[in-house]
Amino acid sequence: MTVLTSGYFTVAGLVAPGVLVPGGESSAPRVFAAYMAARSIVLLGGLTLFAALRAWRPLALLLGLNAGVQLIDAVIGAAHHQFAQTAGPACFTLLLAAAALGLARTPRGVVTSHAH
């Protein structure tokens, strides 16, 4: 879910930053969106890779780092009195932190599967 949501905002920021922020069609927001996209692509790529490889410990670390990013986003939203930019990241913070803690507690070598 975090890969899809963050991926959407990454692509939207690159393709049409004016949709995300007022004045986004000017040069400065476009350059800023490109720098943010570079970081998001690396993070999302790592999340996807570690999930595909079932590398749970590294995945837990990246989920925890992403939870930290979302927490800071929520604080920024709160500081600017923007409910949606506070509530959304706050929810993602809780979900990502819970997922990271759950994976971090998985014993090494244990792969959970629903197939019997």
Side-chain angles (χ1 to χ4, degrees):
M1 181 165 74
T2 190
V3 171
L4 293 176
T5 304
S6 295
Y8 165 78
F9 284 109
T10 298
V11 172
L14 288 173
V15 174
V19 172
L20 300 177
V21 294
E25 298 305 322
S26 64
S27 178
R30 285 192 166 281
V31 171
F32 183 72
Y35 280 116
M36 294 305 297
R39 286 151 181 78
S40 292
I41 290 167
V42 170
L43 179 62
L44 298 174
L47 288 171
T48 303
L49 176 66
F50 291 142
L53 294 175
R54 296 183 176 194
W56 306 128
R57 300 260 179 195
L59 180 59
L61 175 62
L62 279 183
L63 288 170
L65 290 172
N66 201 359
V69 169
Q70 293 296 317
L71 177 61
I72 293 169
D73 285 347
V75 169
I76 292 168
H80 290 276
H81 307 288
Q82 297 174 330
F83 178 76
Q85 287 79 6
T86 303
C91 289
F92 273 113
T93 298
L94 295 174
L95 292 171
L96 290 164
L101 286 172
L103 284 175
R105 292 182 177 157
T106 302
R108 291 182 189 251
V110 174
V111 177
T112 57
S113 174
H114 296 290
H116 295 352

